Amino acid sequence: MNQIPEEFTPIDQPSHIDESRRRRTRRLIVPSGKTERSLYVNEIAKRLVPGLDFYLFSMLCGLVLGVAILLDHPAIYILAALLAPFMAPLIGLGFSTAVGSFRFFMQSAGSLLIGSAFIFAGGALSGWFSKLFTNLPVTQARYHTSFTVPDLILLTIGAALAIYLTVRVPKQRSLVASVALAYEVYLPIGVAGFGLTSGIQGLLSEALKFVGVNILLVILIGSIVLAFLRLRPFTFFGYLLTAVLLGGAVYALVVSSALGSALQKQITPATATMPIQTTLNLAPTPSSTLAPPTAIITIDATPTNTLVPTRTPTITITPKPTPVWAKIFSATSNGVRVRKTPGFDGEYLTSLLNGQFVQVLPDFQIVGNATWAHVILEDGQEGWIVQSLLLTATPAPNW
């Protein structure tokens, strides 16, 4: 009895179309399907939830940062940034628009707030210790309170690289990018804590403002990178959060003029001149009287000519005080700020680059543990500058 042979179907061999589709799928950064993308994003979000090591290393970073502020040494500041944990909550804030979850957003913000509290406490502890000493320098601390173009470049590269690698290689952590984020966010928070307990004016408010702008920039950069990777929000909360965060970032950059002030200080050409003039006004007031010769003829006809000159010139010198000129010099930045009134809380007037000259007036004031010099700018405006940021160019007593 003959059996009809069954037809052989190669079901175990992949077709050429299925193989090319799998290769194309592997090349994609984000899965194309909505369900697959949702699972992929949720998997990344789970890896951005910080663990116990995040809080322990935040505490260690805060203690080292406190020592760095007291010693005022840049190398210890860098060590504190290297000891900072992987900034998963901050990256999570930049990634929250794609996740579209209010719970994930609040969880990332809360974790970042707790870690920042440890950093703030380390700076506050060093500020309390600083009261045991006198005239401690805080040059490096002030450097972490002003927004500059190099800070913008470092923050942009760090945030973009961290979010890109988080999406591209979710199982690995980019520690290099995390150090850049810790340097721009954690270090100013510690400086703010130092300013609170040390009593030095300007550190607390300027540092907190600097931190707020940097966090908004990280979220803004994260939204741009995710849009470039075609990982757009797919929930209503995601779009709403994107709109709110973008509006807040634009407001912080434009209204606060943080970026504008930084660009102005970087691109303003140095046109410093040294118009030192020493004026000596001589006001001679000669009062000379020259009596003409008088011929006296006596009776005996013996002529006697008597010449009596009475020239007594009197010269009165009225010298004007020599103006004192000083040159701008900051060892930690390329310029200084000029304020309308003395004190770090004084109203901002303008910025001057290193090497520019100002005329120093004789009145000085001590405000906020710093000596402020009253100066006249080249355009005639008057302002106040910290005296330690000036190098005298004209000999002056008691400088």
Side-chain angles (χ1 to χ4, degrees), residues 150-160 181 184-185 214 217-218 221:
D151 289 316
L152 175 62
I153 296 175
L154 179 62
L155 186 67
T156 302
I157 295 177
L181 297 179
E184 296 296 336
V185 175
N214 286 347
L217 273 176
V218 170
I221 295 169

Side-chain angles (χ1 to χ4, degrees), residues 224-239:
I224 295 175
V225 173
L226 293 175
F228 176 77
L229 297 177
R230 298 181 180 179
L231 194 61
R232 301 180 181 87
F234 53 92
T235 63
F236 173 75
F237 176 77
Y239 283 104

Side-chain angles (χ1 to χ4, degrees), residues 191-380:
V191 173
F194 178 82
L196 177 64
T197 55
S198 65
I200 300 178
Q201 297 181 2
L203 288 182
L204 177 63
S205 58
E206 294 292 336
L208 291 180
K209 178 182 177 182
F210 182 52
V211 171
V213 172
N214 286 347
I215 292 178
L216 288 176
L217 273 176
V218 170
I219 300 175
L220 175 62
I221 295 169
S223 302
I224 295 175
V225 173
L226 293 175
F228 176 77
L229 297 177
R230 298 181 180 179
L231 194 61
R232 301 180 181 87
F234 53 92
T235 63
F236 173 75
F237 176 77
Y239 283 104
L240 179 61
L241 182 62
T242 301
V244 172
L245 295 178
L246 290 180
V250 172
Y251 176 82
L253 292 177
V254 176
V255 177
S256 66
S257 300
L259 180 60
S261 300
L263 289 174
Q264 182 181 2
K265 291 192 297 182
Q266 296 294 328
I267 65 177
T268 301
T271 57
T273 58
M274 185 176 175
I276 302 178
Q277 297 178 357
T278 303
T279 304
L280 181 63
N281 291 338
L282 300 178
T285 56
S287 57
S288 60
T289 304
L290 183 60
T294 305
I296 302 175
I297 302 175
T298 59
I299 298 174
D300 57 349
T302 304
T304 303
N305 297 329
T306 304
L307 183 63
V308 186
T310 58
R311 182 182 180 89
T312 56
T314 303
I315 301 177
T316 303
I317 301 177
T318 307
K320 294 179 63 176
T322 303
V324 178
W325 293 87
K327 182 172 64 175
I328 301 297
F329 176 75
S330 175
T332 58
S333 61
N334 60 348
V336 299
R337 293 183 177 180
V338 183
R339 302 187 181 274
K340 293 184 179 180
T341 56
F344 295 106
D345 292 335
E347 184 179 355
Y348 172 79
L349 177 61
T350 183
S351 299
L352 297 178
L353 296 175
N354 288 340
Q356 289 188 258
F357 287 87
V358 294
Q359 182 179 351
V360 183
L361 298 178
D363 51 332
F364 293 84
Q365 292 191 21
I366 300 178
V367 179
N369 297 332
T371 302
W372 294 81
H374 194 190
V375 299
I376 300 178
L377 308 184
E378 294 181 358
D379 56 0

Side-chain angles (χ1 to χ4, degrees), residues 111-168:
S111 300
L112 181 61
L113 183 61
I114 296 175
S116 301
F118 288 117
I119 302 298
F120 190 88
L125 184 62
S126 66
W128 182 80
F129 275 111
S130 68
K131 294 183 178 180
L132 304 178
F133 308 94
T134 58
N135 299 326
L136 283 178
V138 289
T139 306
Q140 295 296 325
R142 295 195 183 281
Y143 181 75
H144 293 281
T145 59
S146 58
F147 194 88
T148 61
V149 171
D151 289 316
L152 175 62
I153 296 175
L154 179 62
L155 186 67
T156 302
I157 295 177
L161 186 62
I163 294 175
Y164 175 80
L165 293 179
T166 300
V167 177
R168 190 68 179 87

